[in-house]
Structures are given as structure tokens and as C-alpha cells.
Amino acid sequence: MIKKIFGNKKSSAQVSSNMATKQVRYEALVKGLHADLYRYAYWLCHEKQVAEDLVQETFLRAWRALDSLKDEKAAKSWLITILRRENARRFERKRFEMSEYEEATITDTQSLSSEQDIENHWLREKINSLPEEYREPLVLQVIGGFSGEEIANLLSLNKNTVMTRLFRARNQLKEALEKEPEARSTYNG
Amino acid sequence: MDDLQFRRSIYADPHSKDEKLEQAKAEDPKKKKFAQDIEQLDLKILEALKVPVPEDLSNKLILRQTLNSHQQQTKKKRVHLALAASVAFAFGLTINMMNFSSAYNNIGDYAFAHVAHEADHFSNTGEANVTLASLNKKMASFNGSFDTTMGELMFADYCRFDGMKSLHLVFKGTNNPVNVFVIPQSEHLEFNSDFSNNDLQGKTQRFKDANIIIVGDKSEQLKTWQQNIKQNVSWSI
């Protein structure tokens, strides 16, 4: 009887080897996906520090629930789901602190050295001024590499809605780019 | 596929491998050009979306997790320790209860058990050599004193009466010794004034600070003993 109770216990070597496997899995997830996740978070909240906090919180939760992740291929959408939930929670917590952010604070403070940087910077502002509901599917598609169907699942929307939003997002950016020469000159001036 | 439909599909997903789209691109150079433009646009969007990631982020994530799980493990160890302590405590408590809780419910049962247990030590032919002075010295802790030794007193000493300090007196009786217990007012033993079993009988009388129990064999006139005690014992305040 006593042997039965205590016999069930895994040997400590086994436990630590399980821990080691878990650690390896976790580190692989972090290395493989932290950049995408950070960028997604950034486009969700527009603030570097908040994005970093979100990613940290997400990976912490991921660690705790790591055993429930059976399919490594699903890891990215799994993490994104956690991060979206964390982001929503942030709004629940800090509703009273919410305010319209200044457009100027969105842009990063990196020095714009090359033509490419200037263009990126300009386009970032345009992406930022897209409605949230257009921007999120676009980020998921371009950065996350998700299909329309996967995005629909992640955002709990139907696929047609997602495709329409993607179309509008690119359409608006295209139009903005076509007006670019004037826009850019006012920007530089 | 009409132009509008084509444009919408390309805008929605420039990298789509949809066959109808591929076919439309192959058939119409304008459509092909449009698709290439949007692919170009998408490259720009990708570049723009790739905001710089803090360099040390992945290290931070790994470090924080390591610290965190270490903390959790320490906490777990503490929980285990607390559990073990609780179990040990409960175990100790149970043992204690079993050892020191009384197995007897009333005064009579315990008195009989006590007398039966010590029966071998006392015989009616023993020497009666306890003086009144030494008896009263002991009785003093019950705030009482005897006027006389009420007959031949063979033994007088403190005894544990089911865990309580009591004074145990053994007198020479008619055929067998008579046991008298002076015990404090008891809370956990039920008071019974008359009790008997096959061989023995007993009486209890309640006084101010103590109960006095008399146990003797069936031939003993306990009522007389009780009267005697009542008259001989005086209680101080």
C-alpha cells in the first residue's frame, strides 16, 4: 500500500530531465518566435515598453501552460492568442488610464539614416493611422504568415470579413503611397 | 475572373497561390503587372512592420522564466514542508488524545478500576501506621482536615485519579480494605453518588472543594463510613 503510494512518484532524475526538456522547448519557442510576437504586440499597443511587457507576460504564461501545447506548429497562433488575451486584460486593468495617444509619440526615435529608413518611417505612420480592425489582420498576415482562415480563427471573425479588411488595408496604403510625393515633401518640409 | 474581383483578391492576399489568380495573371499582362506592384507594396509593408526588436529580449525572456520557475520550486518545497509539518502535528495530536483522554466516563468506573489495579498492594492485615498529622498535611491541598483518622489508616498518599491529583486513603475494613479518594471537582467524569459491580460498591459525596469517594466490598457499611467522614472532615475557606 505504502509502496503503491510512493511508488507512483517519479524519480527526481526523471523530473529534472522533464524539466530540462521543457526548458529546451521553451528556449526554442522564445528564440524562434519572440521577434514576431514583439512586433505583433508593438502594432497592437504602439508602445515599445508595453509591447515588451506583453511579450514577457505572454511567455511567462506560455511556460506555465507549456505542457498543454502538443503541436509545435500551432505554437505561434497559440502564443498570439495568449498575447491578445493579455492585451485585452491590460485594457480592463487600466481603463481609466486610457487616452488618445499622440500620433507623434508613436514614431520611434531612431535616426533616419537612409532613404529606406525614411520610407519605412513614413509607411509606419501610415500603417499606424489605419483603423485597428484593418491593421491587426494585416500584421498577422504579413508578419505572422497566417492564412486568411487562420486569421479568421484567431480574431473570431469569418473569413470573408478578414479578406475584406485585408483588401481595404492594402488599398488604403496603396492610395497613400500613390500620393506619396506630395505627402513626402510636406513631411520633409 | 473580372478585374475588380482580381484586384480584390490580390489586395487581400498578394501571395495567394490560387489557380484562378495564376491563370488570370498568365492571360492578362496588365493583371500580372498589378499583382507584381502589390507584391512590391507588400515587401515595403513587411519592411515597415519589422520594427526593431530589443536586442536582449530573448535573453530577458529566458532569464525571467528561469528565475520564476526557480522561485516556484522553492515555494513548492515550502508547501511540501508545511504539509509534512501539518501531518506530523495532526499525528502528534491524535496520539496525545489517545493517551491522555479518559477511557472512563464516570467516577464510579474509574474508582473501581483504580481499586482493582492496586488491590494486590493492600491487604486488610496491613499495618495501620499513618498518623493524623501526616494525613492532614496531605489533605491540606484540598482545603480540608480530618479530626481523627476514623479507624485504622494503612495508607495515605497522592494518586492520579484519571489524570487528576487526588488523595488516596486505605483503611482497614470489615473483611477487606476500604478505599477513600479525595478528588477535585471533576469536569470530565460524570458524578455518580452510588455505584457497584459484582464485588465492590461505592458512594460519592460532593463537598465544597472536593468529592469524596468511598469504595469497599459488599459487606461494608458504606453509609456509616460516609457519615463518619462527614463528621470528621472540616473544610477551611
Side-chain angles (χ1 to χ4, degrees):
Chain A
M1 172 76 173
I2 289 173
K3 211 178 171 188
K4 208 173 168 188
I5 293 169
F6 291 100
N8 270 342
K9 230 175 169 186
K10 289 168 190 162
S11 70
S12 66
Q14 209 176 334
V15 169
S16 61
S17 97
N18 282 351
M19 279 298 279
T21 320
K22 193 176 172 184
Q23 184 75 29
V24 169
R25 276 183 86 195
Y26 175 81
E27 285 183 21
L29 277 188
V30 168
K31 291 200 168 117
L33 297 174
H34 81 280
D36 283 354
L37 219 60
Y38 171 82
R39 285 173 178 145
Y40 173 71
Y42 175 83
W43 290 109
L44 220 54
C45 67
H46 317 287
E47 278 174 68
K48 288 179 181 179
Q49 194 49 55
V50 178
E52 204 174 316
D53 290 349
L54 276 175
V55 173
Q56 294 223 0
E57 197 53 43
T58 302
F59 272 106
L60 204 65
R61 280 177 193 277
W63 166 264
R64 288 186 201 134
L66 199 57
D67 294 332
S68 72
L69 176 70
K70 301 290 178 221
D71 184 3
E72 303 292 330
K73 280 180 216 153
K76 198 188 231 175
S77 60
W78 182 66
L79 287 169
I80 292 230
T81 308
I82 300 176
L83 195 142
R84 291 191 87 232
R85 214 179 295 143
E86 278 307 308
N87 188 48
R89 203 167 280 152
R90 179 173 70 95
F91 281 102
E92 278 165 28
R93 274 199 304 264
K94 299 193 174 176
R95 194 173 296 153
F96 54 92
E97 285 177 27
M98 260 178 71
S99 58
E100 286 295 304
Y101 46 84
E102 293 285 318
E103 291 288 317
T105 62
I106 297 164
T107 56
D108 53 25
T109 47
Q110 273 198 321
S111 62
L112 306 173
S113 49
S114 67
E115 183 73 13
Q116 179 65 44
D117 283 343
I118 294 169
E119 179 153 18
N120 277 347
H121 186 82
W122 184 87
L123 194 54
R124 261 170 215 164
E125 282 192 350
K126 294 297 156 210
I127 293 171
N128 248 325
S129 47
L130 282 177
E132 177 72 46
E133 62 197 48
Y134 295 172
R135 181 170 58 239
E136 197 176 357
L138 184 69
V139 173
L140 286 173
Q141 191 186 45
V142 177
I143 290 266
F146 291 109
S147 72
E149 207 139 334
E150 287 166 329
I151 297 171
N153 278 336
L154 277 169
L155 305 184
S156 316
L157 297 169
N158 78 44
K159 196 194 162 190
N160 283 340
T161 313
V162 170
M163 295 323 269
T164 306
R165 287 180 185 183
L166 284 167
F167 152 70
R168 289 196 182 138
R170 280 201 181 80
N171 196 19
Q172 286 187 11
L173 289 176
K174 181 103 192 320
E175 278 170 16
L177 270 173
E178 273 156 12
K179 281 188 255 161
E180 186 184 0
E182 322 150 34
R184 186 89 71 84
S185 65
T186 49
Y187 179 77
N188 285 339
Chain B
M1 181 176 278
D2 67 66
D3 198 47
L4 186 67
Q5 182 61 35
F6 178 80
R7 279 166 180 260
R8 279 186 73 105
S9 304
I10 291 292
Y11 268 130
D13 186 1
H15 303 284
S16 169
K17 294 280 172 278
D18 189 85
E19 268 181 39
K20 281 181 197 162
L21 289 178
E22 293 296 324
Q23 201 186 332
K25 278 191 247 179
E27 281 168 8
D28 186 345
K30 265 192 203 162
K31 281 182 181 160
K32 192 174 183 182
K33 172 79 170 53
F34 175 79
Q36 280 171 345
D37 283 352
I38 300 302
E39 272 179 46
Q40 280 298 311
L41 170 73
D42 226 44
L43 276 179
K44 284 182 188 169
I45 293 175
L46 177 63
E47 278 311 306
L49 286 180
K50 278 186 180 169
V51 289
V53 177
E55 266 174 44
D56 52 347
L57 183 59
S58 71
N59 289 334
K60 252 193 223 171
L61 291 169
I62 289 165
L63 180 69
R64 208 184 132 175
Q65 176 276 314
T66 312
L67 291 178
N68 218 283
S69 69
H70 179 72
Q71 261 178 353
Q72 269 182 334
Q73 268 187 324
T74 332
K75 260 188 227 158
K76 250 185 217 165
K77 266 180 208 160
R78 257 184 248 146
V79 167
H80 286 161
L81 189 68
L83 261 173
S86 309
V87 168
F89 184 71
F91 198 67
L93 218 60
T94 315
I95 296 274
N96 233 338
M97 295 258 290
M98 282 162 73
N99 267 351
F100 295 107
S101 66
S102 58
Y104 302 96
N105 297 325
N106 60 58
I107 286 178
D109 285 354
Y110 183 82
F112 282 153
H114 195 117
V115 170
H117 182 68
E118 291 178 347
D120 292 347
H121 301 288
F122 304 113
S123 75
N124 217 19
T125 55
E127 251 179 277
N129 55 5
V130 181
T131 63
L132 181 62
S134 71
L135 167 63
N136 277 336
K137 208 172 157 189
K138 290 178 173 120
M139 189 61 183
S141 64
F142 293 95
N143 292 330
S145 70
F146 287 87
D147 297 339
T148 71
T149 52
M150 303 186 302
E152 295 177 74
L153 181 55
M154 301 188 291
F155 172 89
D157 217 333
Y158 295 124
C159 258
R160 290 261 147 218
F161 192 91
D162 199 23
M164 298 177 290
K165 184 187 176 185
S166 73
L167 185 57
H168 186 182
L169 312 174
V170 183
F171 293 93
K172 217 169 247 186
T174 320
N175 298 314
N176 282 305
V178 172
N179 291 269
V180 172
F181 298 97
V182 182
I183 64 165
Q185 303 285 1
S186 146
E187 282 174 4
H188 66 272
L189 288 176
E190 188 194 323
F191 180 89
N192 38 10
S193 57
D194 289 280
F195 47 92
S196 63
N197 64 12
N198 291 340
D199 309 315
L200 299 165
Q201 52 170 336
K203 278 187 177 300
T204 315
Q205 185 152 23
R206 207 191 282 272
F207 292 92
K208 188 170 72 74
D209 288 324
N211 293 328
I212 295 187
I213 306 159
I214 310 162
V215 177
D217 68 13
K218 297 274 184 178
S219 63
E220 210 68 51
Q221 286 297 315
L222 292 190
K223 205 142 199 177
T224 318
W225 279 94
Q226 204 164 35
Q227 286 293 319
N228 243 335
I229 287 171
K230 217 171 170 180
Q231 284 161 17
N232 266 292
V233 179
S234 50
W235 304 95
S236 59
I237 304 164

